[in-house]
PDB file of all heavy atoms in Angstrom:
ATOM      1  N   GLU C  51       0.582  12.744  11.407  1.00 98.00           N
ATOM      2  CA  GLU C  51      -0.010  13.425  12.552  1.00 98.00           C
ATOM      3  C   GLU C  51      -0.153  12.421  13.693  1.00 98.00           C
ATOM      4  O   GLU C  51      -0.076  11.165  13.466  1.00 98.00           O
ATOM      5  CB  GLU C  51      -1.356  14.050  12.246  1.00 98.00           C
ATOM      6  CG  GLU C  51      -1.304  15.503  11.866  1.00 98.00           C
ATOM      7  CD  GLU C  51      -0.808  16.374  13.086  1.00 98.00           C
ATOM      8  OE1 GLU C  51      -0.609  15.861  14.164  1.00 98.00           O
ATOM      9  OE2 GLU C  51      -0.724  17.617  12.838  1.00 98.00           O
ATOM     10  N   ARG C  52      -0.398  12.940  14.933  1.00 98.00           N
ATOM     11  CA  ARG C  52      -0.602  11.987  16.059  1.00 98.00           C
ATOM     12  C   ARG C  52      -1.935  11.241  15.917  1.00 98.00           C
ATOM     13  O   ARG C  52      -2.888  11.796  15.421  1.00 98.00           O
ATOM     14  CB  ARG C  52      -0.517  12.838  17.344  1.00 98.00           C
ATOM     15  CG  ARG C  52       0.908  13.249  17.641  1.00 98.00           C
ATOM     16  CD  ARG C  52       0.980  14.131  18.874  1.00 98.00           C
ATOM     17  NE  ARG C  52       0.047  15.273  18.757  1.00 98.00           N
ATOM     18  CZ  ARG C  52       0.177  16.424  19.500  1.00 98.00           C
ATOM     19  NH1 ARG C  52       1.104  16.561  20.331  1.00 98.00           N
ATOM     20  NH2 ARG C  52      -0.649  17.374  19.267  1.00 98.00           N
ATOM     21  N   PRO C  53      -1.970  10.050  16.474  1.00 98.00           N
ATOM     22  CA  PRO C  53      -3.184   9.230  16.300  1.00 98.00           C
ATOM     23  C   PRO C  53      -4.283   9.714  17.230  1.00 98.00           C
ATOM     24  O   PRO C  53      -4.047  10.031  18.394  1.00 98.00           O
ATOM     25  CB  PRO C  53      -2.722   7.836  16.704  1.00 98.00           C
ATOM     26  CG  PRO C  53      -1.543   8.009  17.644  1.00 98.00           C
ATOM     27  CD  PRO C  53      -0.888   9.260  17.117  1.00 98.00           C
ATOM     28  N   TYR C  54      -5.523   9.799  16.664  1.00 98.00           N
ATOM     29  CA  TYR C  54      -6.698  10.030  17.551  1.00 98.00           C
ATOM     30  C   TYR C  54      -6.730   8.797  18.466  1.00 98.00           C
ATOM     31  O   TYR C  54      -6.530   7.661  18.101  1.00 98.00           O
ATOM     32  CB  TYR C  54      -8.002  10.003  16.697  1.00 98.00           C
ATOM     33  CG  TYR C  54      -8.282  11.329  16.098  1.00 98.00           C
ATOM     34  CD1 TYR C  54      -8.433  11.431  14.678  1.00 98.00           C
ATOM     35  CD2 TYR C  54      -8.439  12.504  16.844  1.00 98.00           C
ATOM     36  CE1 TYR C  54      -8.737  12.687  14.091  1.00 98.00           C
ATOM     37  CE2 TYR C  54      -8.709  13.730  16.289  1.00 98.00           C
ATOM     38  CZ  TYR C  54      -8.884  13.782  14.903  1.00 98.00           C
ATOM     39  OH  TYR C  54      -9.117  15.018  14.284  1.00 98.00           O
ATOM     40  N   GLY C  55      -7.094   9.105  19.719  1.00 98.00           N
ATOM     41  CA  GLY C  55      -7.172   8.015  20.804  1.00 98.00           C
ATOM     42  C   GLY C  55      -5.913   7.866  21.499  1.00 98.00           C
ATOM     43  O   GLY C  55      -5.838   7.121  22.473  1.00 98.00           O
ATOM     44  N   GLY C  56      -4.852   8.577  21.075  1.00 98.00           N
ATOM     45  CA  GLY C  56      -3.493   8.511  21.697  1.00 98.00           C
ATOM     46  C   GLY C  56      -2.734   7.272  21.352  1.00 98.00           C
ATOM     47  O   GLY C  56      -3.070   6.520  20.510  1.00 98.00           O
ATOM     48  N   GLY C  57      -1.549   7.141  22.051  1.00 98.00           N
ATOM     49  CA  GLY C  57      -0.708   6.025  21.780  1.00 98.00           C
ATOM     50  C   GLY C  57       0.534   6.512  21.067  1.00 98.00           C
ATOM     51  O   GLY C  57       0.670   7.634  20.660  1.00 98.00           O
ATOM     52  N   PRO C  58       1.498   5.537  20.958  1.00 98.00           N
ATOM     53  CA  PRO C  58       2.826   5.920  20.459  1.00 98.00           C
ATOM     54  C   PRO C  58       2.817   6.023  18.894  1.00 98.00           C
ATOM     55  O   PRO C  58       1.912   5.500  18.207  1.00 98.00           O
ATOM     56  CB  PRO C  58       3.688   4.721  20.864  1.00 98.00           C
ATOM     57  CG  PRO C  58       2.770   3.589  20.891  1.00 98.00           C
ATOM     58  CD  PRO C  58       1.433   4.137  21.350  1.00 98.00           C
ATOM     59  N   GLY C  59       3.735   6.751  18.382  1.00 98.00           N
ATOM     60  CA  GLY C  59       3.950   6.782  16.935  1.00 98.00           C
ATOM     61  C   GLY C  59       3.059   7.734  16.224  1.00 98.00           C
ATOM     62  O   GLY C  59       2.196   8.426  16.832  1.00 98.00           O
ATOM     63  N   MET C  60       3.194   7.836  14.960  1.00 98.00           N
ATOM     64  CA  MET C  60       2.470   8.764  14.097  1.00 98.00           C
ATOM     65  C   MET C  60       1.711   7.993  13.010  1.00 98.00           C
ATOM     66  O   MET C  60       1.999   6.865  12.672  1.00 98.00           O
ATOM     67  CB  MET C  60       3.440   9.725  13.425  1.00 98.00           C
ATOM     68  CG  MET C  60       4.263  10.516  14.423  1.00 98.00           C
ATOM     69  SD  MET C  60       3.260  11.645  15.393  1.00 98.00           S
ATOM     70  CE  MET C  60       3.242  13.092  14.350  1.00 98.00           C
ATOM     71  N   VAL C  61       0.645   8.638  12.426  1.00 98.00           N
ATOM     72  CA  VAL C  61      -0.149   8.055  11.408  1.00 98.00           C
ATOM     73  C   VAL C  61      -0.128   8.919  10.181  1.00 98.00           C
ATOM     74  O   VAL C  61      -0.143  10.150  10.229  1.00 98.00           O
ATOM     75  CB  VAL C  61      -1.622   7.899  11.914  1.00 98.00           C
ATOM     76  CG1 VAL C  61      -2.522   7.379  10.833  1.00 98.00           C
ATOM     77  CG2 VAL C  61      -1.684   7.027  13.116  1.00 98.00           C
ATOM     78  N   MET C  62       0.004   8.307   8.971  1.00 98.00           N
ATOM     79  CA  MET C  62      -0.028   9.131   7.754  1.00 98.00           C
ATOM     80  C   MET C  62      -1.440   9.666   7.487  1.00 98.00           C
ATOM     81  O   MET C  62      -2.379   8.923   7.553  1.00 98.00           O
ATOM     82  CB  MET C  62       0.449   8.221   6.571  1.00 98.00           C
ATOM     83  CG  MET C  62       1.927   7.890   6.677  1.00 98.00           C
ATOM     84  SD  MET C  62       2.554   7.005   5.235  1.00 98.00           S
ATOM     85  CE  MET C  62       3.109   8.411   4.280  1.00 98.00           C
ATOM     86  N   MET C  63      -1.486  10.937   7.198  1.00 98.00           N
ATOM     87  CA  MET C  63      -2.787  11.656   6.954  1.00 98.00           C
ATOM     88  C   MET C  63      -3.395  11.325   5.588  1.00 98.00           C
ATOM     89  O   MET C  63      -2.658  11.082   4.633  1.00 98.00           O
ATOM     90  CB  MET C  63      -2.525  13.199   7.029  1.00 98.00           C
ATOM     91  CG  MET C  63      -2.160  13.633   8.463  1.00 98.00           C
ATOM     92  SD  MET C  63      -2.105  15.365   8.519  1.00 98.00           S
ATOM     93  CE  MET C  63      -0.687  15.796   7.619  1.00 98.00           C
TER      94      MET C  63
END
Side-chain angles (χ1 to χ4, degrees):
E51 263 296 358
R52 288 176 304 200
Y54 278 124
M60 301 295 274
V61 176
M62 292 186 89
M63 293 188 288

